[in-house]
Amino acid sequence: MRRLVLGALVALALFGSAAPAAAHPFGPPSTAKVTVRGTSLTLVWHAAEDDWVALGQSLGAFDDPSTELTGEEKLQRSPAVHRYLLERMTVSQAGRPCPGELGELNDLLGTGATIEFECPAKIDEVKIKLAALMDLNDAYRTVLVGDSEALFTVTTPEQQVRLHGSAVPGAVLPLAIGTFAVVVLGVVAAVVLRRRRRSA
């Protein structure tokens, strides 16, 4: 089901774009999972390997000539990468920013990047910004899954999201993915139908 959703999002980007050059350049969109406990919010962001490479290149993370470090280690140690992730993914509550702390980037492809946010009050509704990679190409998307679901794009990088506590492992994610699949596939079908009518 997850592959179906990601494939549908790519199709939407392709059919909805004014030109092929505006399509998503590196495959399926990144994902972000959010869980909440009281006043704390944990955001885990996952991106594909080539997306991490593009990000590192744009921030100069690979400029270090050392041959003893792998590309992943250079990303992990780059202050520019750390600043970028904290600037491009934020949370605020009732107009007040929730300070975020980026965890160690030990396994970029396996565990992704984790940011822990601490908000002023118990979390029910917050504004989440997921704009990573969108400055590199406006065709990038991020799918929010977990206690809520949403699609973040270059035109809607920041959205108000209502949350309801901690995500239940193995239960919330399939529900979010299934609901989102129906919405996205419906939009894709509408776009394709509209184009066919224009052609006719």
Side-chain angles (χ1 to χ4, degrees), residues 35-68:
T35 55
V36 173
R37 289 177 179 82
T39 61
S40 301
L41 183 149
T42 301
L43 186 152
V44 182
W45 184 68
H46 286 274
E49 182 177 3
D50 50 5
D51 293 336
W52 279 111
V53 171
L55 179 60
Q57 289 175 337
S58 70
L59 297 175
F62 305 128
D63 292 347
D64 184 347
S66 173
T67 57
E68 297 180 356

Side-chain angles (χ1 to χ4, degrees), residues 75-163:
L75 285 168
Q76 293 166 348
R77 299 185 182 192
S78 170
V81 171
H82 285 240
R83 287 194 302 270
Y84 178 90
L85 294 176
L86 288 172
E87 290 172 358
R88 305 293 294 184
M89 293 186 284
T90 64
V91 175
S92 61
Q93 184 184 56
R96 299 173 61 186
C98 301
E101 182 176 348
L102 180 66
E104 294 185 7
L105 304 176
N106 291 327
D107 184 2
L108 297 179
L109 297 183
T111 60
T114 299
I115 305 178
E116 299 284 351
F117 295 94
E118 189 63 34
C119 292
K122 184 177 180 180
I123 296 173
D124 177 58
E125 185 174 340
V126 292
K127 182 172 286 186
I128 298 178
K129 175 183 176 183
L130 295 175
L133 300 173
M134 295 176 189
D135 56 322
L136 305 185
N137 190 297
D138 61 10
Y140 273 106
R141 271 76 169 138
T142 294
V143 180
L144 177 67
V145 298
D147 199 43
S148 186
E149 66 270 0
L151 175 64
F152 290 73
T153 70
V154 71
T155 57
T156 56
E158 193 171 20
Q159 300 181 41
Q160 195 76 14
V161 179
R162 181 172 293 278
L163 303 167

